[in-house]
Amino acid sequence: ATLEESLRSRLDRLAPSREVAQLAAAIGREFAHELLVAASSLPESDLQDALDDLIEAGLVYRRGTPPSAVYSFKHALVRDAAYATLVRSKRQLLHRRIATALEQRFPESVRGLPELLAHHQTEAGQLESAVDSWLRAGQRAIAQSAMTEALTHIRKGLELLGGLPPSEQSRRQELDLRIALGVALMAAQGWAAPEAGRANDRARELCEEIGATSQLWPVLYGQWVFRAVRAEHEAARVLS
């Protein structure tokens, strides 16, 4: 606690540069010059002066030269101290700026790391968009056979979805998430995993509720495999 107070005091003494440190902290322990510029409301010259002050104060390191430079906080606690100075409304605003900058200026990064955009949308309170991004992150992880990561992303999307009011849109989002969850669970835990069975059963309910006949195939297949592997032959026969 004493160390955090000391770090905050050092940031306070760099008042003109503190806003840049806060934005950088919202990006993460490491941050690229181009993303910082795209998300900042400051002129680039003022931004560069602030970064120079943070480097001179020993709080931030720089690798390379702008605009290709990459910066990192000297220690995770420095980043945490800067982030902790943000009130919730300011924190959400900064994450919203970062998410917008990623979508508009760095589409390749978003395609390659959709979980990065999902994180900033979540912290910005943009829940509907964040759910879609967590789904894309989960689907991409499945395609790469990274099932542990896929389950983390998909469950995060479902968690956020629970905070949204019920609607046809939210049910369609849940259906997509449940289908992906079933696939990831069968791959990670086995075709007869109880949680996979529950995911596919819920997906079947959603298909029937919203008339999503085009998505029935993976759901029915998942249900059939689950029953067949568990030797529940009559139930598997009906599904087939």
Side-chain angles (χ1 to χ4, degrees):
T2 304
L3 180 56
E4 287 181 359
E5 288 175 9
S6 174
L7 291 170
R8 288 186 194 179
S9 296
R10 290 177 67 185
L11 286 166
D12 287 340
R13 290 196 293 272
L14 295 169
S17 306
R18 187 173 64 174
E19 183 177 341
V20 174
Q22 290 171 332
L23 175 58
I27 294 173
R29 172 84 185 273
E30 187 174 276
F31 50 99
H33 183 89
E34 288 181 311
L35 178 55
L36 196 68
V37 170
S40 176
S41 59
L42 294 173
E44 188 167 357
S45 58
D46 292 348
L47 183 70
Q48 188 59 62
D49 289 343
L51 286 167
D52 290 341
D53 288 344
L54 292 170
I55 293 167
E56 187 177 342
L59 297 173
V60 168
Y61 292 138
R62 177 171 56 206
R63 300 194 310 274
T65 56
S68 300
V70 175
Y71 305 84
S72 60
F73 285 98
K74 183 177 181 179
H75 193 281
L77 283 175
V78 179
R79 183 263 175 186
D80 293 346
Y83 196 66
T85 61
L86 290 165
V87 296
R88 187 169 184 269
S89 58
K90 181 67 177 296
R91 186 177 299 182
Q92 286 188 324
L93 173 62
L94 293 183
H95 282 290
R96 194 175 302 122
R97 284 182 185 169
I98 296 164
T100 300
L102 285 170
E103 287 187 290
Q104 294 181 352
R105 300 280 295 276
F106 306 97
E108 290 185 8
S109 296
V110 170
R111 283 193 293 272
L113 286 171
E115 61 270 26
L116 178 63
L117 176 61
H119 164 72
H120 290 295
Q121 289 172 330
T122 301
E123 295 300 320
Q126 299 172 312
L127 301 188
E128 288 187 9
S129 298
V131 169
D132 287 336
S133 295
W134 285 119
L135 171 63
R136 288 195 298 274
Q139 291 170 331
R140 186 173 188 277
I142 289 171
Q144 296 176 325
S145 297
M147 298 305 167
T148 300
E149 290 81 358
L151 289 170
T152 298
H153 301 330
I154 295 163
R155 285 169 174 156
K156 183 64 177 179
L158 286 167
E159 178 188 337
L160 294 181
L161 197 61
L164 293 173
S167 66
E168 182 171 346
Q169 171 66 15
S170 66
R171 287 198 294 273
R172 290 190 180 278
Q173 287 177 310
E174 184 185 356
L175 174 57
D176 290 334
L177 286 163
R178 295 288 178 188
I179 291 173
L181 180 64
V183 171
L185 285 167
M186 286 190 291
Q189 299 179 8
W191 288 357
E195 191 180 355
R198 291 192 294 272
N200 283 313
D201 288 346
R202 175 58 182 158
R204 175 77 177 277
E205 291 175 8
L206 289 163
C207 281
E208 293 172 352
E209 284 179 18
I210 62 179
T213 54
S214 62
Q215 290 166 288
L216 266 175
W217 157 244
V219 176
L220 289 170
Y221 180 78
Q223 286 187 308
W224 173 75
V225 168
F226 177 76
R227 300 299 181 188
V229 173
R230 292 168 67 92
E232 297 175 8
H233 300 307
E234 178 57 24
R237 184 191 67 79
V238 171
L239 286 162
S240 69

